Amino acid sequence: MTTPWWQSSVIYQIYPRSFQDANGDGIGDLKGITQRLDYLGGLGIDAIWISPIYPSPMADFGYDVADHCDVDPRFGTLADFDELLAQAHARGLKVLLDFVPNHTSDRHAWFAESRSSRDAAKRDWYLWCDPAPNGGPPNNWISDFGGSAWAWDETSGQYYYHAFLKEQPDLNWRNPAVQAAMYEVMRFWFDRGVDGFRIDVLWHLIKAADFPDNPPNPAYRPAMGEMHRVLQLHSTDQPEVHALAAEMRAIADSYGIAGLCERVLLGEIYLPIDPLMHYYGQEHAGVHLPLNFLLIDAPWQAGALADLIAGYEAALPPAAWPNWVLGNHDRPRIARKLGEAKARIAAMLLLTLRGTPTLYYGDELGLNDAKIPPSQVQDPRELREPGLGLGRDPVRSPMPWDGSENAGFSTAPPWLPLNADCHLRNVAEMTGERASILALYRRLLAVRRAHPALAIGAFALLDSAGDVLAYERRHGTQRLIVALNLGTDAQRLELPDWASGCRLLLSTTAEALLIENNMLLLRADEGGVLAA
Ligand code: GLC
Ligand code: CA
């Protein structure tokens, strides 16, 4: 049995506004991505996932889609997309798009029709409700971006539901016509040749039919953001969502020829482990990879991480393949959470765990959250609930490519400020430095590619003490040890007998790891991959 490509792959997430601007308007675009494909190929990743590129009023920077089957002129044209796809495929890179099925833009033609009157043909394509008896919103559901999730529509005298901005009305996925229309969208892109989708907020698609109030969240504190005032018991993760995921999977599968050109589905799902596992579906009929965000919020402590990884592995359905994530366009950068030294260990962890990692653009440079002056805030989340640290602009700063003006991202001032250290922390500068985190990422990706034990092998934790997290990756006779010192003091790891005489494949530092008898000595923030 051959391993499907998506299991042995590393997926690189591109936020298209911020990757490379090719036409000098300060906003990244498709031609820019195409120009940088050689960089991506050389880095050693296997697939790119591009956040939304569709026509959009950009109220939520593309996650408010006005037409699912076209490209926003800011990003280019369908022809530019075809060219990007062809160029990526020519380099052996797969291309995933972001599928945003839960909601559309309020400027989508479907919504315009739906809101035109109560008898509109597409009225039932969205979630319309009469006011509560007091005239207020139908229930207590809260938007993820704060405030009631119901918007009043004066013309037709009803409320519509929006889990995010009021400019992002939720579709009614109980309506078969909506399902059919959105499945057509998937086919449109699959027919064009895309290799898969990351599915936006998959667990949101279905809401409880009678819209009951959500229960209050006893742990709520205002600093968490208003959405956490209630638990999203009835507004998300309803049992009927799994049939929809299965339908999407069937469409993806219908494009695979004998396992060769399989199309992959990644599901964005922020849920605890048990409900998350259901998104693999009965008999693997769900998405291939429910995204696993556990590492993002995990305490950086060896015992806690070992428990978390073991817990995740143990919870997986038989033969289910895991995914691991350190960062994305919604969450603080890993380097902001840990600092650069520990971000290097995190890189080794991400690329040596069992599963398909998704790597967020710029994390390979150790980018920190950028400072965004209040006057330059763009993210609607920050604008609606300022000062809580929920804003996402800091993790969407332009990719710094070189030491030239605007860091080679654009000839014009970029749409968001660059990171302050971009004259030093950029691709050109760090490519020349053997000890840079970029060089480490390149070595990690190369070692992973050269060792099936890392890409597809079995995983087992090793006994370790103190701040050391250690595990074995094994494929056939190939046995590797990954040892990570998460602490700031030197640590020892007693190597198992089978590892005697092991050699170092790669370390996070420039220096060789010290092995004395059967003891591995790890300096502060040092990690290594060893071959037995
Ligand atoms: C997802 C996206 C996020 C967006 C939201 C609404 O969580 O990752 O960026 O704001 O969906 O579409
Ligand atoms: Ca541009």
Side-chain angles (χ1 to χ4, degrees), residues 231-455:
L231 299 170
Q232 296 188 332
L233 183 70
H234 302 297
S235 48
T236 64
D237 193 32
Q238 299 301 296
E240 298 94 324
V241 72
H242 297 292
L244 302 176
E247 197 58 48
M248 293 175 189
R249 174 61 177 264
I251 293 167
D253 283 351
S254 73
Y255 283 84
I257 305 163
L260 280 180
C261 340
E262 266 187 67
R263 314 294 170 104
V264 69
L265 300 179
L266 282 54
E268 186 206 20
I269 302 145
Y270 281 93
L271 284 176
I273 292 184
D274 286 338
L276 178 63
M277 291 300 157
H278 288 137
Y279 287 78
Y280 281 104
Q282 301 273 338
E283 312 279 328
H284 296 278
V287 294
H288 303 72
L289 295 170
L291 293 172
N292 162 15
F293 303 114
L294 286 183
L295 288 179
I296 294 183
D297 293 315
W300 200 246
Q301 199 272 321
L305 278 180
D307 289 349
L308 174 157
I309 296 162
Y312 200 81
E313 284 276 354
L316 286 166
W321 190 250
N323 150 268
W324 297 96
V325 184
L326 285 180
N328 61 33
H329 62 295
D330 294 326
R331 306 302 309 277
R333 291 259 184 197
I334 189 71
R336 136 121 188 254
K337 173 177 162 179
L338 299 176
E340 171 157 349
K342 291 186 193 320
R344 298 171 72 100
I345 303 285
M348 185 169 272
L349 177 70
L350 179 74
L351 295 176
T352 60
L353 282 172
R354 192 178 79 101
T356 302
T358 47
L359 167 58
Y360 186 50
Y361 89 96
D363 277 357
E364 77 272 32
L365 305 178
L367 279 196
N368 208 311
D369 287 10
K371 296 252 173 321
I372 311 293
S375 64
Q376 277 171 274
V377 169
Q378 308 260 358
D379 181 18
R381 186 153 200 205
E382 178 67 22
L383 292 169
R384 289 175 58 87
E385 293 187 277
L388 299 180
L390 300 173
R392 302 165 297 178
D393 292 330
V395 305
R396 298 171 176 182
S397 58
M399 180 79 169
W401 293 100
D402 57 41
S404 66
E405 208 180 350
N406 305 317
F409 166 74
S410 175
T411 53
W415 76 286
L416 273 179
L418 286 145
N419 289 66
D421 59 359
C422 65
H423 54 293
L424 292 174
R425 195 178 290 283
N426 63 57
V427 171
E429 192 73 27
M430 296 172 93
T431 297
E433 293 167 14
R434 246 179 57 80
S436 69
I437 186 168
L438 176 59
L440 172 64
Y441 263 97
R442 285 204 172 102
R443 290 202 306 275
L444 274 165
L445 287 158
V447 167
R448 185 184 158 96
R449 193 175 285 270
H451 292 84
L454 287 181

Side-chain angles (χ1 to χ4, degrees), residues 60 63 103 145 164 168 198 200-201 268 329-330 392 396:
D60 191 17
Y63 285 95
H103 43 268
F145 295 154
F164 298 91
Q168 293 167 293
R198 173 264 194 188
D200 191 60
V201 298
E268 186 206 20
H329 62 295
D330 294 326
R392 302 165 297 178
R396 298 171 176 182

